[in-house]
Amino acid sequence: MMPSLFLSHGTPLLALENNGYTAFLKEYTNAMNKPAAIVIMSAHWESEEQLISAVRKHQVIYDFVGFSEEIFKITYPAPGCLELSDRILTLFSSIGVLGELDDRRPLDHGAWGLLHIMYPEADIPIVSLSINPELPLNKQYEIGKALAELKEENVLIIGSGGIVHNFTHIQKDMNVAEGWAINFENWVEGKIMAWDLESLFNYDQYAPYSMDAVPTKEHFIPLIIAMGAGDGHKKATMLHRTFQYGNLSLTAWKFD
């Protein structure tokens, strides 16, 4: 059975970088069975309605400015899977989440940035999902639980975001991690390993440096959804953790 993954997507430059995290992504992907399809939730697709991509072939959107010309040449023409999109629509309706199919949405860098590294051939069907930051975290977890049965059909579920992700705090020339960022990551790690949902759902009240690490929730939500998809076994493994720019965490979690 496929796991669900939470993967940090860092900055758009990740797609061009060769570092410990990108090496991990390639090695991990090469070691696992090839999925029949991928469902990915990116922090960069926000909507008040639950949207589900329903395209035959994916385009990409460059939802950033100020980077080298090379990154604007990356494409990711992976196929969609309309049958899977319909299936997810039904799964969400069973938990009272009224979804809507979207036949126009391109993949944003939170999706194609990772997929370009992991599956450069772009030959696996992809369905992307929006996130609604206004939903409480317990409902986000429920969304993950609703997707969990897809794992039994060789569908890889990926939540793409960032645990410590605050661009106003990054230190471009800093090569070591700041203590506050490490403290927040360590707190999250402990709560995940204990499967302490009450603490995670209320991280902003309990966690050290929560407002510095998570100024807005959209990058934290994919972690909760990926964890929800692992509710059946409640087994978590941290696969990788490094930091860029002083405090931007590149963390990967697997939920069986």
Side-chain angles (χ1 to χ4, degrees):
M1 186 172 74
M2 277 287 163
S4 56
L5 300 176
F6 169 77
L7 300 176
S8 301
H9 59 243
T11 75
L13 289 175
L14 186 75
L16 300 176
E17 290 173 342
N18 291 302
N19 56 36
Y21 183 54
T22 59
F24 152 74
L25 290 172
K26 293 172 185 176
E27 290 168 9
Y28 183 76
T29 303
N30 288 336
M32 71 186 300
N33 292 330
K34 188 173 182 177
I38 297 172
V39 175
I40 187 164
M41 298 80 66
S42 166
H44 289 269
W45 188 10
E46 297 180 51
S47 66
E48 292 182 3
E49 306 82 19
Q50 177 61 63
L51 299 177
I52 302 161
S53 72
V55 301
R56 296 189 181 279
K57 190 173 184 179
H58 286 283
Q59 305 294 322
V60 300
I61 184 173
Y62 307 104
D63 51 330
F64 47 79
V65 294
F67 292 94
S68 65
E69 186 178 338
E70 186 180 0
I71 202 164
F72 296 97
K73 296 178 181 177
I74 295 176
T75 61
Y76 200 78
C81 181
L82 302 185
E83 182 180 351
L84 181 56
S85 299
D86 282 334
R87 175 87 177 281
I88 294 169
L89 195 66
T90 301
L91 291 173
F92 284 164
S93 69
S94 71
I95 59 166
V97 173
L98 301 180
E100 200 173 309
L101 299 180
D102 186 313
D103 62 0
R104 293 176 293 178
R105 170 73 183 187
L107 296 173
D108 58 67
H109 86 267
W112 63 255
L114 291 170
L115 297 173
H116 168 75
I117 297 167
M118 298 170 72
Y119 298 104
E121 300 86 359
D123 59 349
I124 299 173
I126 307 294
V127 174
S128 61
L129 307 178
S130 71
I131 59 170
N132 178 359
E134 301 306 314
L135 287 180
L137 292 182
N138 64 324
K139 193 65 177 180
Q140 308 285 1
Y141 187 87
E142 222 182 309
I143 286 172
K145 284 179 68 175
L147 295 170
E149 68 179 64
L150 299 176
K151 294 160 56 174
E152 299 176 10
E153 299 165 26
N154 202 31
V155 175
L156 177 61
I157 296 170
I158 300 176
S160 169
I163 294 177
V164 180
H165 192 98
N166 187 339
F167 271 33
T168 67
H169 285 4
I170 64 172
Q171 310 289 331
K172 290 186 178 179
D173 299 319
M174 192 170 187
N175 296 319
V176 296
E178 295 185 281
W180 66 266
I182 295 172
N183 283 344
F184 183 79
E185 273 274 356
N186 286 343
W187 183 90
V188 171
E189 177 187 356
K191 302 309 177 187
I192 291 175
M193 294 305 294
W195 215 271
D196 182 352
L197 298 179
E198 196 272 337
S199 293
L200 286 168
F201 293 166
N202 297 282
Y203 74 90
D204 51 345
Q205 299 176 40
Y206 300 144
Y209 307 103
S210 60
M211 291 300 98
D212 293 303
V214 188
T216 53
K217 290 183 178 180
E218 75 282 348
H219 278 78
F220 196 76
I221 288 169
L223 169 67
I224 301 299
I225 296 175
M227 192 174 178
D231 182 80
H233 294 96
K234 296 183 173 63
K235 181 183 176 184
T237 306
M238 187 168 68
L239 301 173
H240 181 93
R241 183 168 72 195
T242 51
F243 289 85
Q244 284 185 312
Y245 313 122
N247 52 64
L248 181 66
S249 65
L250 299 176
T251 310
W253 281 93
K254 177 180 75 163
F255 303 103
D256 291 313

